[in-house]
Coordinates of all heavy atoms in Angstrom, one line a residue:
I113 N -2.8 188.9 33.3 CA -2.2 187.6 33.7 C -0.7 187.7 33.3 O -0.3 188.1 32.2 CB -2.9 186.5 33.0 CG1 -4.4 186.5 33.3 CG2 -2.3 185.1 33.4 CD1 -4.8 186.3 34.7
A114 N 0.1 187.3 34.2 CA 1.6 187.3 34.0 C 2.0 186.4 32.9 O 1.3 185.4 32.6 CB 2.3 186.9 35.3
P115 N 3.1 186.7 32.2 CA 3.5 186.0 31.0 C 3.6 184.5 31.1 O 3.3 183.8 30.2 CB 4.9 186.6 30.7 CG 4.9 188.0 31.3 CD 4.0 187.8 32.5
M116 N 4.1 183.9 32.2 CA 4.2 182.5 32.2 C 2.9 181.7 32.6 O 2.9 180.5 32.8 CB 5.4 182.0 33.1 CG 5.2 182.3 34.6 SD 6.6 181.7 35.6 CE 6.8 180.0 35.2
F117 N 1.8 182.5 32.8 CA 0.6 181.9 33.2 C -0.5 182.2 32.1 O -0.3 183.2 31.3 CB 0.1 182.5 34.5 CG 0.9 182.2 35.7 CD1 1.9 183.1 36.0 CD2 0.8 181.0 36.4 CE1 2.8 182.8 37.1 CE2 1.6 180.7 37.4 CZ 2.6 181.6 37.8
R118 N -1.5 181.4 32.0 CA -2.6 181.6 31.1 C -3.9 181.3 31.7 O -4.1 180.2 32.4 CB -2.4 180.7 29.8 CG -3.4 181.0 28.8 CD -3.1 180.3 27.5 NE -3.3 178.9 27.6 CZ -2.6 178.0 27.0 NH1 -1.6 178.4 26.2 NH2 -2.8 176.7 27.2
L119 N -4.8 182.2 31.6 CA -6.2 182.0 32.1 C -7.0 181.5 30.9 O -7.0 182.1 29.9 CB -6.8 183.3 32.6 CG -8.3 183.3 33.0 CD1 -8.5 182.4 34.3 CD2 -8.8 184.7 33.2
Q120 N -7.7 180.4 31.1 CA -8.6 179.9 30.0 C -9.7 179.1 30.6 O -9.6 178.5 31.7 CB -7.8 179.1 29.0 CG -7.4 177.8 29.4 CD -6.7 177.0 28.3 OE1 -5.9 177.6 27.6 NE2 -6.9 175.7 28.1
W121 N -10.8 179.0 29.8 CA -11.9 178.1 30.2 C -11.5 176.7 29.8 O -11.1 176.5 28.7 CB -13.2 178.5 29.4 CG -14.3 177.6 29.7 CD1 -14.8 176.6 28.9 CD2 -15.1 177.5 30.9 NE1 -15.8 176.0 29.5 CE2 -16.1 176.5 30.7 CE3 -15.2 178.3 32.0 CZ2 -17.0 176.2 31.6 CZ3 -16.1 177.9 33.0 CH2 -17.0 176.9 32.8
E122 N -11.7 175.8 30.7 CA -11.4 174.4 30.5 C -12.6 173.6 30.6 O -13.2 173.4 31.7 CB -10.4 173.9 31.6 CG -9.7 172.7 31.3 CD -8.8 172.7 30.1 OE1 -8.1 173.6 29.8 OE2 -8.9 171.7 29.3
E123 N -13.1 173.2 29.4 CA -14.4 172.5 29.3 C -14.4 171.2 30.2 O -15.4 171.0 30.9 CB -14.7 172.1 27.9 CG -16.1 171.7 27.6 CD -17.1 172.8 27.8 OE1 -16.9 173.9 27.5 OE2 -18.2 172.5 28.4
V124 N -13.4 170.4 30.2 CA -13.3 169.2 31.0 C -13.5 169.5 32.5 O -14.1 168.8 33.2 CB -12.0 168.5 30.7 CG1 -11.9 167.3 31.7 CG2 -11.9 168.0 29.3
Q125 N -12.9 170.6 33.0 CA -13.0 171.0 34.4 C -14.3 171.8 34.6 O -14.7 172.0 35.8 CB -11.8 171.9 34.7 CG -10.5 171.3 34.6 CD -10.2 170.2 35.6 OE1 -10.7 170.2 36.7 NE2 -9.5 169.2 35.2
N126 N -15.0 172.2 33.6 CA -16.2 173.1 33.7 C -15.9 174.3 34.5 O -16.7 174.7 35.4 CB -17.3 172.3 34.2 CG -18.7 173.0 34.0 OD1 -18.9 173.7 33.1 ND2 -19.6 172.9 35.0
A127 N -14.7 174.9 34.3 CA -14.2 176.0 35.1 C -13.1 176.8 34.4 O -12.5 176.2 33.5 CB -13.7 175.5 36.4
Y128 N -12.9 178.0 34.8 CA -11.7 178.7 34.4 C -10.5 178.1 35.2 O -10.7 177.7 36.3 CB -11.8 180.2 34.7 CG -12.6 180.9 33.6 CD1 -13.9 181.2 33.8 CD2 -12.0 181.3 32.5 CE1 -14.6 181.9 32.9 CE2 -12.7 182.0 31.5 CZ -14.0 182.3 31.7 OH -14.7 182.9 30.7
V129 N -9.4 178.1 34.5 CA -8.1 177.6 35.1 C -7.0 178.5 34.8 O -7.0 179.3 33.9 CB -7.8 176.1 34.6 CG1 -8.9 175.1 35.0 CG2 -7.5 176.1 33.2
I130 N -6.0 178.5 35.7 CA -4.7 179.1 35.5 C -3.8 178.0 35.1 O -3.6 177.1 35.8 CB -4.2 179.9 36.7 CG1 -5.1 180.9 37.2 CG2 -2.8 180.4 36.5 CD1 -5.0 182.2 36.5
L131 N -3.2 178.1 33.9 CA -2.3 177.1 33.4 C -0.9 177.7 33.5 O -0.6 178.9 33.3 CB -2.5 176.8 31.9 CG -3.8 176.1 31.6 CD1 -4.0 176.0 30.1 CD2 -3.9 174.8 32.3
Y132 N 0.1 176.9 33.9 CA 1.5 177.3 34.0 C 2.3 176.0 33.7 O 1.8 174.9 33.7 CB 1.8 177.9 35.4 CG 1.5 177.0 36.6 CD1 2.5 176.4 37.2 CD2 0.2 176.9 37.1 CE1 2.2 175.6 38.3 CE2 -0.1 176.1 38.2 CZ 0.9 175.5 38.8 OH 0.7 174.7 39.9
P133 N 3.6 176.2 33.5 CA 4.5 175.1 33.0 C 4.4 173.9 33.9 O 4.4 172.7 33.4 CB 5.9 175.7 33.0 CG 5.7 177.1 32.7 CD 4.4 177.5 33.4
E134 N 4.2 174.0 35.2 CA 4.2 172.9 36.2 C 2.9 172.3 36.4 O 2.7 171.4 37.2 CB 4.9 173.3 37.5 CG 6.3 173.7 37.4 CD 6.5 175.1 37.0 OE1 5.6 176.0 37.3 OE2 7.6 175.5 36.4
G135 N 1.8 173.0 35.9 CA 0.5 172.4 36.2 C -0.6 173.4 35.9 O -0.6 174.2 35.0
M136 N -1.7 173.3 36.8 CA -2.9 174.0 36.6 C -3.6 174.2 37.9 O -3.5 173.4 38.8 CB -3.8 173.1 35.7 CG -5.2 173.6 35.5 SD -6.2 172.5 34.6 CE -6.6 171.3 35.8
V137 N -4.2 175.4 38.0 CA -5.0 175.7 39.2 C -6.5 175.9 38.7 O -6.7 176.7 37.9 CB -4.6 177.0 39.9 CG1 -5.5 177.4 41.0 CG2 -3.1 176.8 40.4
K138 N -7.4 175.1 39.2 CA -8.8 175.2 38.9 C -9.4 176.3 39.8 O -9.2 176.3 41.0 CB -9.6 173.9 39.2 CG -11.0 174.0 38.9 CD -11.7 172.6 39.1 CE -13.2 172.7 38.8 NZ -13.8 171.4 39.1
L139 N -10.0 177.3 39.2 CA -10.6 178.4 39.9 C -12.1 178.2 40.2 O -12.8 177.5 39.4 CB -10.5 179.7 39.0 CG -9.0 180.1 38.7 CD1 -9.0 181.2 37.7 CD2 -8.2 180.4 39.9
S140 N -12.5 178.8 41.3 CA -14.0 178.8 41.6 C -14.6 179.7 40.5 O -14.0 180.5 39.8 CB -14.2 179.4 43.0 OG -13.9 180.8 43.0
A141 N -15.9 179.6 40.4 CA -16.7 180.4 39.4 C -16.5 181.9 39.7 O -16.3 182.6 38.7 CB -18.2 180.0 39.5
S142 N -16.5 182.3 40.9 CA -16.3 183.7 41.2 C -14.9 184.2 40.9 O -14.7 185.3 40.4 CB -16.7 184.0 42.6 OG -15.9 183.3 43.5
A143 N -13.9 183.4 41.2 CA -12.5 183.7 40.9 C -12.3 183.8 39.4 O -11.7 184.8 38.9 CB -11.6 182.7 41.5
G144 N -12.9 182.9 38.6 CA -12.8 183.0 37.1 C -13.5 184.2 36.6 O -12.9 184.9 35.7
E145 N -14.7 184.6 37.1 CA -15.4 185.8 36.7 C -14.5 187.0 37.0 O -14.5 188.0 36.2 CB -16.7 185.9 37.3 CG -17.8 185.0 36.8 CD -18.1 185.3 35.3 OE1 -18.2 186.4 34.9 OE2 -18.3 184.3 34.6
T146 N -13.9 187.0 38.1 CA -13.0 188.2 38.5 C -11.8 188.2 37.6 O -11.5 189.3 37.0 CB -12.6 188.1 39.9 OG1 -13.8 188.0 40.7 CG2 -11.8 189.3 40.4
L147 N -11.0 187.1 37.5 CA -9.7 187.2 36.8 C -9.9 187.4 35.3 O -9.0 187.9 34.7 CB -8.9 185.9 37.1 CG -8.4 185.9 38.5 CD1 -7.6 184.6 38.8 CD2 -7.5 187.1 38.9
K148 N -11.0 187.0 34.7 CA -11.2 187.2 33.3 C -11.3 188.7 33.0 O -11.1 189.1 31.9 CB -12.3 186.4 32.7 CG -13.7 186.9 33.0 CD -14.7 185.9 32.3 CE -16.1 186.5 32.4 NZ -17.1 185.5 31.8
R149 N -11.6 189.5 34.0 CA -11.7 191.0 33.9 C -10.3 191.7 34.1 O -10.2 192.9 33.9 CB -12.7 191.5 34.8 CG -14.1 191.2 34.4 CD -15.1 191.4 35.6 NE -16.5 191.3 35.1 CZ -17.2 190.2 34.9 NH1 -16.5 189.1 35.1 NH2 -18.4 190.2 34.5
V150 N -9.4 190.9 34.6 CA -8.0 191.5 34.8 C -7.3 191.5 33.5 O -6.8 190.5 33.0 CB -7.2 190.7 35.8 CG1 -5.8 191.2 36.0 CG2 -8.0 190.7 37.2
D151 N -7.3 192.7 32.8 CA -6.7 192.8 31.5 C -5.6 193.9 31.4 O -5.1 194.2 30.3 CB -7.8 193.1 30.5 CG -8.5 194.4 30.7 OD1 -8.2 195.2 31.7 OD2 -9.5 194.7 30.0
G152 N -5.3 194.5 32.5 CA -4.3 195.5 32.4 C -4.8 196.9 32.2 O -4.1 197.9 32.3
N153 N -6.1 197.0 31.8 CA -6.7 198.3 31.5 C -7.7 198.7 32.6 O -7.9 199.8 32.9 CB -7.5 198.2 30.2 CG -6.5 198.0 29.0 OD1 -5.5 198.6 29.0 ND2 -6.9 197.1 28.2
N154 N -8.4 197.7 33.2 CA -9.4 197.9 34.2 C -8.8 198.1 35.6 O -7.9 197.2 36.0 CB -10.5 196.8 34.3 CG -11.3 196.7 33.0 OD1 -11.7 197.8 32.5 ND2 -11.5 195.5 32.6
S155 N -9.2 199.1 36.4 CA -8.7 199.2 37.7 C -9.5 198.2 38.6 O -10.5 197.6 38.2 CB -8.9 200.6 38.3 OG -10.3 200.8 38.4
V156 N -8.9 197.9 39.8 CA -9.7 197.1 40.7 C -11.1 197.6 41.0 O -12.0 196.9 41.0 CB -8.9 196.9 42.0 CG1 -9.7 196.1 43.0 CG2 -7.5 196.2 41.7
G157 N -11.1 198.9 41.1 CA -12.4 199.5 41.4 C -13.4 199.3 40.2 O -14.6 199.0 40.4
E158 N -12.9 199.4 39.0 CA -13.8 199.1 37.8 C -14.2 197.6 37.8 O -15.3 197.3 37.4 CB -13.0 199.5 36.5 CG -12.8 201.0 36.4 CD -11.9 201.4 35.3 OE1 -10.9 200.6 35.0 OE2 -12.1 202.4 34.6
I159 N -13.3 196.7 38.1 CA -13.6 195.3 38.2 C -14.7 195.1 39.2 O -15.7 194.4 38.9 CB -12.4 194.5 38.4 CG1 -11.4 194.6 37.3 CG2 -12.8 193.0 38.7 CD1 -10.1 194.0 37.5
I160 N -14.6 195.7 40.4 CA -15.6 195.5 41.4 C -16.9 196.0 40.9 O -18.0 195.4 41.1 CB -15.1 196.2 42.7 CG1 -13.9 195.5 43.3 CG2 -16.3 196.3 43.7 CD1 -13.2 196.2 44.4
K161 N -16.9 197.2 40.4 CA -18.2 197.9 39.9 C -18.9 197.0 38.8 O -20.1 196.8 38.9 CB -17.9 199.2 39.3 CG -19.0 200.1 38.9 CD -18.6 201.4 38.5 CE -19.8 202.3 38.1 NZ -19.4 203.6 37.6
D162 N -18.1 196.4 37.9 CA -18.6 195.6 36.9 C -19.2 194.3 37.4 O -20.3 193.9 37.1 CB -17.5 195.2 35.8 CG -18.1 194.5 34.6 OD1 -19.1 194.9 34.1 OD2 -17.4 193.5 34.3
L163 N -18.5 193.7 38.4 CA -19.0 192.5 39.0 C -20.3 192.7 39.8 O -21.3 192.0 39.8 CB -18.0 191.8 39.9 CG -16.8 191.1 39.1 CD1 -15.7 190.9 40.0 CD2 -17.3 189.9 38.4
E164 N -20.3 193.8 40.6 CA -21.5 194.2 41.4 C -22.7 194.5 40.5 O -23.8 194.3 40.9 CB -21.2 195.3 42.4 CG -20.3 194.8 43.5 CD -19.9 195.8 44.5 OE1 -20.1 197.0 44.3 OE2 -19.5 195.4 45.6
A165 N -22.4 195.0 39.3 CA -23.5 195.3 38.4 C -24.1 194.0 37.8 O -25.3 193.8 37.6 CB -23.1 196.2 37.2
Q166 N -23.2 193.0 37.5 CA -23.6 191.7 37.0 C -24.3 190.9 38.1 O -25.3 190.2 37.8 CB -22.4 191.0 36.5 CG -22.8 189.6 35.9 CD -21.6 188.9 35.3 OE1 -20.6 189.4 35.1 NE2 -21.9 187.6 35.0
F167 N -23.8 191.0 39.3 CA -24.4 190.2 40.4 C -25.1 191.2 41.4 O -24.6 191.4 42.4 CB -23.3 189.3 41.1 CG -22.7 188.4 40.2 CD1 -21.4 188.7 39.6 CD2 -23.3 187.2 39.8 CE1 -20.8 187.8 38.7 CE2 -22.7 186.3 38.9 CZ -21.4 186.6 38.4
E168 N -26.2 191.7 40.9 CA -26.9 192.7 41.6 C -27.1 192.4 43.1 O -27.5 191.3 43.5 CB -28.3 192.9 41.0 CG -28.6 194.3 40.5 CD -29.9 194.4 39.8 OE1 -29.9 194.1 38.6 OE2 -30.9 194.7 40.5
G169 N -26.9 193.4 44.0 CA -27.1 193.2 45.4 C -25.9 192.6 46.1 O -25.9 192.6 47.4
A170 N -24.9 192.1 45.4 CA -23.8 191.5 46.1 C -22.7 192.6 46.4 O -22.5 193.5 45.6 CB -23.1 190.5 45.1
E171 N -22.2 192.5 47.5 CA -21.1 193.4 47.9 C -19.8 192.6 47.8 O -19.5 191.7 48.6 CB -21.3 194.0 49.3 CG -22.5 194.9 49.4 CD -22.7 195.5 50.8 OE1 -21.7 195.5 51.6 OE2 -23.8 195.9 51.1
L172 N -19.0 192.9 46.8 CA -17.9 192.0 46.4 C -16.5 192.6 46.6 O -15.5 191.9 46.4 CB -18.1 191.6 44.9 CG -19.4 190.9 44.6 CD1 -19.5 190.7 43.1 CD2 -19.5 189.6 45.3
A173 N -16.5 193.9 47.1 CA -15.2 194.5 47.2 C -14.1 193.8 48.0 O -13.0 193.5 47.5 CB -15.4 195.9 47.8
D174 N -14.5 193.3 49.2 CA -13.5 192.6 50.0 C -13.0 191.3 49.3 O -11.8 191.0 49.3 CB -14.1 192.3 51.4 CG -14.3 193.5 52.2 OD1 -13.7 194.5 51.9 OD2 -15.1 193.4 53.2
D175 N -14.0 190.6 48.7 CA -13.6 189.3 48.1 C -12.7 189.5 46.8 O -11.8 188.8 46.6 CB -14.9 188.5 47.6 CG -15.7 188.0 48.8 OD1 -15.1 187.8 49.9 OD2 -16.9 187.8 48.6
V176 N -13.0 190.6 46.1 CA -12.2 190.9 44.9 C -10.8 191.3 45.3 O -9.8 190.8 44.7 CB -12.9 191.9 44.0 CG1 -12.0 192.4 42.9 CG2 -14.2 191.4 43.4
I177 N -10.7 192.2 46.3 CA -9.4 192.6 46.7 C -8.6 191.5 47.2 O -7.4 191.3 46.9 CB -9.6 193.7 47.8 CG1 -10.1 195.0 47.1 CG2 -8.3 194.0 48.5 CD1 -10.6 196.1 48.0
K178 N -9.2 190.6 48.0 CA -8.5 189.4 48.5 C -8.0 188.5 47.4 O -6.8 188.0 47.4 CB -9.4 188.6 49.4 CG -8.9 187.3 50.0 CD -8.1 187.6 51.2 CE -7.8 186.2 51.8 NZ -6.8 186.3 52.9
L179 N -8.8 188.3 46.4 CA -8.4 187.4 45.2 C -7.3 188.1 44.5 O -6.3 187.4 44.1 CB -9.6 187.2 44.3 CG -9.2 186.4 43.0 CD1 -8.7 185.0 43.3 CD2 -10.4 186.3 42.1
I180 N -7.3 189.4 44.3 CA -6.3 190.1 43.6 C -5.0 190.0 44.4 O -3.9 189.7 43.8 CB -6.6 191.6 43.4 CG1 -7.8 191.8 42.5 CG2 -5.4 192.4 42.9 CD1 -7.6 191.4 41.1
E181 N -5.0 190.1 45.7 CA -3.8 189.9 46.5 C -3.3 188.5 46.4 O -2.1 188.3 46.3 CB -4.2 190.3 48.0 CG -4.4 191.7 48.2 CD -4.9 192.0 49.6 OE1 -5.3 191.1 50.4 OE2 -5.0 193.2 50.0
V182 N -4.1 187.5 46.5 CA -3.7 186.1 46.4 C -3.1 185.9 45.0 O -2.0 185.2 44.9 CB -4.9 185.1 46.7 CG1 -4.5 183.7 46.3 CG2 -5.3 185.2 48.1
S183 N -3.7 186.4 44.0 CA -3.2 186.2 42.6 C -1.9 186.9 42.4 O -1.0 186.3 41.8 CB -4.2 186.8 41.6 OG -5.5 186.1 41.7
R184 N -1.7 188.1 43.0 CA -0.4 188.7 42.9 C 0.6 188.0 43.7 O 1.7 187.7 43.2 CB -0.5 190.2 43.5 CG 0.7 191.0 43.4 CD 0.8 192.2 44.2 NE 0.6 191.8 45.6 CZ -0.2 192.3 46.5 NH1 -0.9 193.4 46.2 NH2 -0.3 191.9 47.7
D185 N 0.3 187.5 44.9 CA 1.2 186.7 45.7 C 1.7 185.4 45.1 O 2.8 185.0 45.2 CB 0.7 186.5 47.1 CG 0.5 187.7 48.0 OD1 1.0 188.8 47.6 OD2 -0.2 187.6 49.0
N186 N 0.8 184.8 44.3 CA 1.1 183.6 43.6 C 1.8 183.8 42.2 O 2.2 182.9 41.6 CB -0.1 182.8 43.3 CG -0.6 182.0 44.6 OD1 0.2 181.3 45.2 ND2 -1.8 182.2 45.0
G187 N 1.9 185.1 41.9 CA 2.6 185.5 40.6 C 1.7 185.4 39.4 O 2.2 185.5 38.3
W188 N 0.4 185.1 39.6 CA -0.5 185.0 38.4 C -0.7 186.3 37.7 O -0.9 186.3 36.5 CB -1.9 184.4 38.8 CG -1.8 183.1 39.6 CD1 -0.8 182.2 39.5 CD2 -2.8 182.6 40.4 NE1 -1.1 181.1 40.3 CE2 -2.4 181.3 40.9 CE3 -4.1 183.0 40.8 CZ2 -3.1 180.5 41.7 CZ3 -4.8 182.2 41.7 CH2 -4.3 181.0 42.1
I189 N -0.7 187.4 38.5 CA -0.8 188.7 37.9 C 0.2 189.6 38.5 O 0.9 189.3 39.5 CB -2.2 189.3 38.2 CG1 -2.4 189.5 39.7 CG2 -3.4 188.5 37.6 CD1 -3.7 190.3 40.1
R190 N 0.4 190.7 37.8 CA 1.3 191.8 38.3 C 0.5 193.0 38.4 O -0.3 193.4 37.6 CB 2.5 192.0 37.3 CG 3.4 190.9 37.2 CD 4.6 191.2 36.4 NE 4.6 190.4 35.2 CZ 5.4 190.6 34.2 NH1 6.2 191.6 34.2 NH2 5.3 189.8 33.1
T191 N 0.7 193.7 39.5 CA 0.0 195.0 39.7 C 0.9 196.2 39.5 O 2.1 196.0 39.7 CB -0.6 195.0 41.2 OG1 0.4 194.8 42.1 CG2 -1.7 194.0 41.3
R192 N 0.3 197.3 39.2 CA 1.1 198.5 39.0 C 1.3 199.3 40.2 O 0.6 199.2 41.1 CB 0.4 199.4 37.9 CG 0.3 198.7 36.6 CD -0.4 199.7 35.7 NE -0.9 198.9 34.5 CZ -1.7 199.3 33.7 NH1 -2.2 200.5 33.7 NH2 -2.1 198.5 32.7

């Protein structure tokens, strides 16, 4: 997560959120599950593999890649 943003569980929202100086973005359950794995150490492939193991039978590659792209475009994360 980029320095000016913070990912955290928000009990009141019952969801993960991205916090930033101007506000907050409430994430869907799947987006929260994905972004909590973005730690600078795991590759996108490893994140996909982990999620597909947790949610057996789901093919998540396209959705994860799309979320990573949207997150990068919004400045929430930085990719190498």
Side-chain angles (χ1 to χ4, degrees):
I113 304 298
M116 70 181 301
F117 297 93
R118 185 171 69 216
L119 172 70
Q120 73 179 40
W121 176 258
E122 194 63 44
E123 193 65 39
V124 174
Q125 300 291 329
N126 194 34
Y128 279 96
V129 298
I130 299 279
L131 297 173
Y132 58 100
E134 297 84 26
M136 173 183 78
V137 176
K138 181 178 176 181
L139 301 172
S140 68
S142 59
E145 284 297 320
T146 302
L147 289 181
K148 75 181 189 181
R149 290 168 169 78
V150 176
D151 62 4
N153 297 314
N154 295 318
S155 69
V156 174
E158 290 168 327
I159 292 169
I160 292 167
K161 186 175 179 180
D162 185 46
L163 287 166
E164 287 181 342
Q166 182 176 348
F167 301 100
E168 237 177 272
E171 293 183 22
L172 303 172
D174 290 342
D175 292 337
V176 170
I177 291 167
K178 176 87 171 168
L179 176 62
I180 295 294
E181 289 171 351
V182 167
S183 298
R184 184 197 59 224
D185 293 347
N186 283 308
W188 302 340
I189 64 171
R190 291 189 246 172
T191 56
R192 296 180 201 168

